Amino acid sequence: MAIDANVPGSYQKFTESLTITNGTNAKIVVDCLLPGVVAAISGEMALPGELLPRQRVWQGGGRVIGGSISSTDGTAKSLLIYVGQLLTTQDATNTGVLALTASGIARATGSFIADGWSPGNAVMLFGPAAARNVGSATQANTGLLAIVTAVSPLALTVNGASFTADAALPAGARLFRVALRTRRGVAVNAGYADNTPPTPLMGGVQDPATFSAPDTGWELGQTNALIVALFAAASALPARIDVMAEVGLR
């Protein structure tokens, strides 16, 4: 019997698309995979000595084991792939109001220092899990990459005038510290033209640490997200770049 060691608990495909509307702002493809309990599989029988079938328990996190990038764009594109770590979540108790100025992020309570921020970090704003790619009333702020230049308990200062002012971020808005995982060249009409395959999400010369074997992949912890952005904006609609990630859940 063959065993797929890439799927520790369950398996899911995550998808997202980028268009000219996004510009070069990023989107979360795989959001934080939190621990939890879900119902038993429908039709499953209880084990001997048990009254009810067991529920499935997620430990949180997962492993990206594959995926692809396809494009309807008539121009070759480059996709930037980031791994983000969630450090700060807008919350009435821990942060109070989170607000954006052109040059930074302010909070009413708590501490950015205690959250783990330091100068030189790259920061991106996203929404709560239910609206992950909507983090601000001004959508141009969501998925925008900014570089932290100074940190105090109640303020992050970023390089230049990165943001559009927003007096109050929505409940659950999140700040991720991000680092570039790799960059992918995407051919004209990759995956959408005969004899032009989609670009693999993983592996190759741009990602030599990941190779095709059962126990490899990109590990994501409970507070990590897989984030993508275009280096240069897509061409005019209806051109789009589709990203698909295959994930084994913990």
Side-chain angles (χ1 to χ4, degrees):
M1 180 179 66
I3 298 175
D4 189 345
N6 281 323
V7 186
S10 185
Y11 173 83
Q12 190 169 343
K13 292 184 178 180
F14 297 85
T15 61
E16 192 54 77
S17 297
L18 300 167
T19 69
I20 192 171
T21 305
N22 306 115
T24 56
N25 286 34
K27 282 188 170 183
I28 292 177
V29 178
V30 183
D31 209 340
C32 300
L33 301 169
L34 301 178
V37 178
V38 295
I41 298 172
S42 178
E44 185 176 0
M45 302 297 291
L47 295 173
E50 295 184 336
L51 296 177
L52 298 171
R54 290 190 177 187
Q55 294 174 310
R56 290 169 290 167
V57 179
W58 300 135
Q59 301 175 37
R63 178 186 294 152
V64 184
I65 57 177
S68 63
I69 309 160
S70 300
S71 174
T72 65
D73 202 311
T75 302
K77 295 297 175 184
S78 291
L79 187 78
L80 303 173
I81 303 174
Y82 298 89
V83 173
Q85 182 179 4
L86 174 58
L87 293 186
T88 302
T89 300
Q90 198 281 344
D91 166 290
T93 301
N94 296 315
T95 66
V97 174
L98 268 181
L100 300 180
T101 65
S103 59
I105 307 168
R107 66 195 291 168
T109 61
S111 171
F112 284 118
I113 296 173
D115 286 351
W117 295 99
S118 61
N121 289 164
V123 57
M124 287 184 183
L125 164 70
F126 292 100
R132 64 182 189 244
N133 291 315
V134 183
S136 169
T138 304
Q139 186 60 23
N141 290 320
T142 304
L144 180 70
L145 179 70
I147 305 301
V148 176
T149 57
V151 182
S152 69
L154 298 181
L156 290 180
T157 303
V158 299
N159 184 51
S162 298
F163 297 115
T164 301
D166 189 344
L169 299 182
R174 298 173 295 171
L175 301 178
F176 284 82
R177 181 171 61 197
V178 302
L180 187 68
R181 181 65 176 81
T182 189
R183 176 169 165 165
R184 281 278 182 264
V186 184
V188 172
N189 293 323
Y192 282 94
D194 293 344
N195 302 315
T196 307
T199 300
L201 182 69
M202 309 167 67
V205 295
Q206 287 291 103
D207 186 32
T210 303
F211 57 95
S212 181
D215 59 350
T216 61
W218 298 342
E219 285 288 346
L220 298 176
Q222 297 176 12
T223 61
N224 293 137
L226 188 69
I227 300 167
V228 299
L230 290 172
F231 182 76
S235 300
L237 291 169
R240 73 179 193 277
I241 289 79
D242 297 330
V243 182
M244 185 271 291
E246 302 167 318
V247 182
L249 307 179
R250 297 292 186 202

